[in-house]
Amino acid sequence: MDFIDRHAVTHGVYGWWFDHYLPLVPRDGCIERDGKHLLYIGIAPPKDRPVRRGGPTPVKSRLWRNHLRGTVRSSTLRLSLAALLEQELELAFWRDKRNRVRMDRHHEDSLSDWISKHAAISVAQHDEPWSLEETLVRNGPPLPLNLSMSRHPFKSTLSDLRRALGRN
């Protein structure tokens, strides 16, 4: 895991880079760096979300609380990774009363451990990251793990895998 100074960046675009341990994910045309491919981008904060004074920066909060140590309910990236790694990590899912996918904490911890071993993060400061997000996802390099706004051919496969979670 690449560690960045998340304390210094308040608003920005972040990229998730993954090694070859996601074999189902197509990488054709994806940007590669140091043996990892850029497969997902996100922004923090979302448009029109106020920034709390004295709290963690939006980037730090989004990366740490949602993606790195959060839950599949709090992070679309975690949900996608869990769907792709269900067999390998022996993850078990269930659905709550609202039909949202959930995992027990020990499965969430297994996913967090996998992320820390196989992913890297890059962050770019930008005062209005929401103004870039759609352009990057729609017109930038392929981002097979981005579902919203994406036209990537892998979108339907990943969506199907996610929909199937916890339906047994």
Side-chain angles (χ1 to χ4, degrees):
M1 170 74 60
D2 285 352
F3 288 97
I4 55 169
D5 185 3
R6 295 189 264 324
H7 302 284
V9 178
T10 59
H11 291 60
V13 177
Y14 52 87
W16 280 90
W17 303 75
F18 294 93
D19 61 19
H20 62 280
Y21 287 98
L22 287 172
L24 286 178
V25 180
R27 290 171 167 72
D28 293 344
C30 295
I31 297 172
E32 183 179 2
R33 183 183 82 189
D34 299 327
K36 291 183 171 66
H37 289 87
L38 178 64
L39 302 180
Y40 181 88
I41 63 157
I43 63 167
K47 188 175 184 177
D48 301 326
R49 179 162 300 164
V51 176
R52 294 182 304 159
R53 292 193 188 277
T57 67
V59 169
K60 179 182 177 186
S61 180
R62 185 77 180 130
L63 290 174
W64 185 256
R65 290 185 181 159
N66 294 108
H67 295 315
L68 290 170
R69 292 287 170 195
T71 66
V72 293
R73 199 178 119 238
S74 70
S75 166
T76 188
L77 176 61
R78 284 182 73 85
L79 183 60
S80 292
L81 293 173
L84 291 164
L85 297 166
E86 178 180 13
Q87 302 296 318
E88 179 182 334
L89 299 180
E90 299 178 359
L91 302 175
F93 304 91
W94 52 279
R95 289 189 175 258
D96 64 16
K97 292 177 184 175
R98 293 177 156 175
N99 201 33
R100 294 176 299 194
V101 176
R102 305 281 191 135
M103 288 194 305
D104 291 332
R105 187 74 247 169
H106 70 280
H107 291 290
E108 294 284 4
D109 291 343
S110 293
L111 182 58
S112 294
D113 291 344
W114 186 93
I115 292 170
S116 70
K117 291 175 188 164
H118 299 284
I121 306 165
S122 58
V123 176
Q125 173 77 31
H126 194 282
D127 291 336
E128 296 180 349
W130 50 86
S131 68
L132 295 175
E133 185 178 31
E134 185 171 358
T135 300
L136 291 172
V137 173
R138 289 187 191 245
N139 303 319
L143 298 162
L145 296 185
N146 276 85
L147 291 178
S148 71
M149 298 177 273
S150 176
R151 294 185 193 127
H152 196 282
F154 189 62
K155 179 179 181 173
S156 62
T157 301
L158 184 55
S159 294
D160 290 345
L161 288 170
R162 288 170 45 138
R163 255 190 306 278
L165 296 175
R167 297 226 185 259
N168 306 2

